[in-house]
Tab-separated table of all heavy atoms in Angstrom:
chain	number	residue	atom	x	y	z
D	1	PHE	N	44.252	131.565	22.145
D	1	PHE	CA	44.305	130.479	23.119
D	1	PHE	C	45.306	130.784	24.227
D	1	PHE	O	46.229	131.574	24.064
D	1	PHE	CB	44.660	129.171	22.415
D	1	PHE	CG	43.736	128.879	21.268
D	1	PHE	CD1	44.068	129.280	19.990
D	1	PHE	CD2	42.504	128.277	21.491
D	1	PHE	CE1	43.189	129.053	18.926
D	1	PHE	CE2	41.628	128.052	20.450
D	1	PHE	CZ	41.967	128.437	19.158
D	2	SER	N	45.098	130.132	25.373
D	2	SER	CA	45.996	130.278	26.504
D	2	SER	C	46.135	128.926	27.195
D	2	SER	O	45.528	127.936	26.767
D	2	SER	CB	45.461	131.340	27.476
D	2	SER	OG	46.416	131.620	28.473
D	3	ILE	N	46.943	128.900	28.231
D	3	ILE	CA	47.124	127.672	29.008
D	3	ILE	C	47.049	128.020	30.492
D	3	ILE	O	47.248	129.173	30.881
D	3	ILE	CB	48.485	126.996	28.690
D	3	ILE	CG1	49.659	127.902	29.110
D	3	ILE	CG2	48.576	126.622	27.221
D	3	ILE	CD1	51.033	127.245	28.985
D	4	PRO	N	46.749	127.031	31.358
D	4	PRO	CA	46.798	127.288	32.802
D	4	PRO	C	48.186	127.779	33.185
D	4	PRO	O	49.194	127.306	32.642
D	4	PRO	CB	46.507	125.916	33.413
D	4	PRO	CG	45.781	125.165	32.341
D	4	PRO	CD	46.363	125.641	31.045
D	5	ALA	N	48.250	128.739	34.091
D	5	ALA	CA	49.546	129.314	34.456
D	5	ALA	C	49.511	129.815	35.896
D	5	ALA	O	48.477	130.260	36.389
D	5	ALA	CB	49.903	130.467	33.510
D	6	ALA	N	50.662	129.746	36.535
D	6	ALA	CA	50.803	130.239	37.909
D	6	ALA	C	51.170	131.717	37.892
D	6	ALA	O	51.791	132.206	36.949
D	6	ALA	CB	51.891	129.455	38.629
D	7	GLU	N	50.763	132.446	38.941
D	7	GLU	CA	51.290	133.783	39.169
D	7	GLU	C	52.013	133.760	40.509
D	7	GLU	O	51.947	132.775	41.257
D	7	GLU	CB	50.176	134.831	39.160
D	7	GLU	CG	49.222	134.775	40.341
D	7	GLU	CD	48.250	135.953	40.345
D	7	GLU	OE1	48.055	136.573	39.284
D	7	GLU	OE2	47.682	136.247	41.424
D	8	HIS	N	52.692	134.858	40.816
D	8	HIS	CA	53.485	134.845	42.046
D	8	HIS	C	52.637	134.576	43.290
D	8	HIS	O	53.082	133.892	44.215
D	8	HIS	CB	54.255	136.165	42.187
D	8	HIS	CG	55.400	136.271	41.238
D	8	HIS	ND1	55.398	137.109	40.152
D	8	HIS	CD2	56.594	135.614	41.202
D	8	HIS	CE1	56.538	136.984	39.495
D	8	HIS	NE2	57.282	136.076	40.107
D	9	SER	N	51.393	135.072	43.315
D	9	SER	CA	50.570	134.870	44.516
D	9	SER	C	50.292	133.392	44.773
D	9	SER	O	50.225	132.960	45.932
D	9	SER	CB	49.247	135.638	44.402
D	9	SER	OG	48.336	134.982	43.549
D	10	THR	N	50.130	132.614	43.704
D	10	THR	CA	49.817	131.185	43.900
D	10	THR	C	51.049	130.394	44.317
D	10	THR	O	50.923	129.269	44.785
D	10	THR	CB	49.201	130.567	42.627
D	10	THR	OG1	50.173	130.523	41.578
D	10	THR	CG2	47.987	131.362	42.167
D	11	ILE	N	52.224	130.985	44.115
D	11	ILE	CA	53.465	130.330	44.536
D	11	ILE	C	53.875	130.789	45.934
D	11	ILE	O	54.120	129.984	46.833
D	11	ILE	CB	54.605	130.611	43.531
D	11	ILE	CG1	54.202	130.142	42.113
D	11	ILE	CG2	55.902	129.948	43.989
D	11	ILE	CD1	53.878	128.671	41.987
D	12	ILE	N	53.928	132.110	46.153
D	12	ILE	CA	54.451	132.605	47.441
D	12	ILE	C	53.473	132.405	48.596
D	12	ILE	O	53.867	132.461	49.757
D	12	ILE	CB	54.871	134.091	47.339
D	12	ILE	CG1	53.670	134.997	47.053
D	12	ILE	CG2	55.956	134.272	46.293
D	12	ILE	CD1	54.001	136.489	47.073
D	13	SER	N	52.191	132.137	48.280
D	13	SER	CA	51.220	131.877	49.357
D	13	SER	C	51.548	130.592	50.113
D	13	SER	O	51.027	130.362	51.210
D	13	SER	CB	49.798	131.806	48.787
D	13	SER	OG	49.705	130.782	47.813
D	14	TRP	N	52.411	129.747	49.532
D	14	TRP	CA	52.849	128.534	50.212
D	14	TRP	C	53.992	128.811	51.191
D	14	TRP	O	54.314	127.965	52.031
D	14	TRP	CB	53.325	127.497	49.187
D	14	TRP	CG	52.231	126.916	48.343
D	14	TRP	CD1	51.569	127.525	47.319
D	14	TRP	CD2	51.667	125.623	48.453
D	14	TRP	NE1	50.628	126.691	46.786
D	14	TRP	CE2	50.658	125.496	47.463
D	14	TRP	CE3	51.894	124.527	49.312
D	14	TRP	CZ2	49.894	124.355	47.298
D	14	TRP	CZ3	51.147	123.369	49.139
D	14	TRP	CH2	50.147	123.299	48.136
D	15	GLY	N	54.618	129.978	51.077
D	15	GLY	CA	55.789	130.290	51.904
D	15	GLY	C	57.071	129.875	51.198
D	15	GLY	O	57.092	128.964	50.368
D	16	ARG	N	58.152	130.556	51.538
D	16	ARG	CA	59.429	130.341	50.851
D	16	ARG	C	59.932	128.900	50.975
D	16	ARG	O	60.488	128.336	50.038
D	16	ARG	CB	60.479	131.309	51.395
D	16	ARG	CG	61.818	131.184	50.701
D	16	ARG	CD	62.732	132.347	50.977
D	16	ARG	NE	63.896	132.298	50.097
D	16	ARG	CZ	64.563	133.348	49.692
D	16	ARG	NH1	64.178	134.562	50.076
D	16	ARG	NH2	65.611	133.220	48.905
D	17	SER	N	59.714	128.290	52.116
D	17	SER	CA	60.253	126.941	52.343
D	17	SER	C	59.468	125.861	51.609
D	17	SER	O	59.899	124.707	51.564
D	17	SER	CB	60.263	126.634	53.845
D	17	SER	OG	58.928	126.620	54.351
D	18	ARG	N	58.306	126.235	51.055
D	18	ARG	CA	57.470	125.227	50.402
D	18	ARG	C	57.290	125.498	48.901
D	18	ARG	O	56.288	125.147	48.305
D	18	ARG	CB	56.101	125.174	51.090
D	18	ARG	CG	56.186	124.825	52.577
D	18	ARG	CD	54.808	124.823	53.215
D	18	ARG	NE	53.994	123.725	52.759
D	18	ARG	CZ	52.661	123.693	52.784
D	18	ARG	NH1	51.996	124.749	53.258
D	18	ARG	NH2	51.987	122.648	52.353
D	19	GLU	N	58.309	126.080	48.282
D	19	GLU	CA	58.226	126.365	46.840
D	19	GLU	C	58.055	125.072	46.037
D	19	GLU	O	57.290	125.023	45.077
D	19	GLU	CB	59.465	127.126	46.369
D	19	GLU	CG	59.318	127.672	44.940
D	19	GLU	CD	60.497	128.517	44.502
D	19	GLU	OE1	61.620	128.338	45.047
D	19	GLU	OE2	60.316	129.359	43.600
D	20	LYS	N	58.741	124.019	46.461
D	20	LYS	CA	58.596	122.730	45.769
D	20	LYS	C	57.143	122.257	45.814
D	20	LYS	O	56.590	121.802	44.803
D	20	LYS	CB	59.492	121.675	46.422
D	20	LYS	CG	59.202	120.244	45.931
D	20	LYS	CD	59.964	119.220	46.743
D	20	LYS	CE	59.502	117.804	46.441
D	20	LYS	NZ	58.166	117.507	47.028
D	21	GLU	N	56.500	122.366	46.988
D	21	GLU	CA	55.106	121.941	47.108
D	21	GLU	C	54.186	122.794	46.225
D	21	GLU	O	53.223	122.280	45.646
D	21	GLU	CB	54.649	122.032	48.570
D	21	GLU	CG	55.207	120.935	49.465
D	21	GLU	CD	56.583	121.256	50.023
D	21	GLU	OE1	57.234	122.185	49.496
D	21	GLU	OE2	57.018	120.572	50.973
D	22	ALA	N	54.518	124.072	46.120
D	22	ALA	CA	53.723	124.947	45.255
D	22	ALA	C	53.811	124.493	43.806
D	22	ALA	O	52.792	124.399	43.099
D	22	ALA	CB	54.208	126.389	45.389
D	23	PHE	N	55.030	124.197	43.359
D	23	PHE	CA	55.223	123.724	41.980
D	23	PHE	C	54.507	122.395	41.765
D	23	PHE	O	53.848	122.179	40.739
D	23	PHE	CB	56.718	123.535	41.690
D	23	PHE	CG	57.510	124.816	41.586
D	23	PHE	CD1	58.905	124.773	41.478
D	23	PHE	CD2	56.890	126.054	41.591
D	23	PHE	CE1	59.654	125.928	41.377
D	23	PHE	CE2	57.637	127.232	41.493
D	23	PHE	CZ	59.013	127.168	41.382
D	24	GLU	N	54.637	121.519	42.746
D	24	GLU	CA	54.047	120.185	42.616
D	24	GLU	C	52.527	120.268	42.544
D	24	GLU	O	51.883	119.509	41.807
D	24	GLU	CB	54.486	119.323	43.808
D	24	GLU	CG	54.293	117.837	43.586
D	24	GLU	CD	55.094	116.994	44.572
D	24	GLU	OE1	55.486	117.515	45.640
D	24	GLU	OE2	55.312	115.813	44.266
């Protein structure tokens, strides 16, 4: 089994200033 998970591309594609929005 596994769970949904983020990788760096799905986080950094928002840009450094929007890391909070990426997490949200």
Side-chain angles (χ1 to χ4, degrees):
F1 306 93
S2 188
I3 64 173
E7 69 173 20
H8 287 108
S9 77
T10 67
I11 303 301
I12 64 175
S13 59
W14 291 74
R16 182 165 190 151
S17 63
R18 300 179 70 203
E19 190 176 25
K20 169 188 170 287
E21 286 85 345
F23 289 173
E24 197 163 20

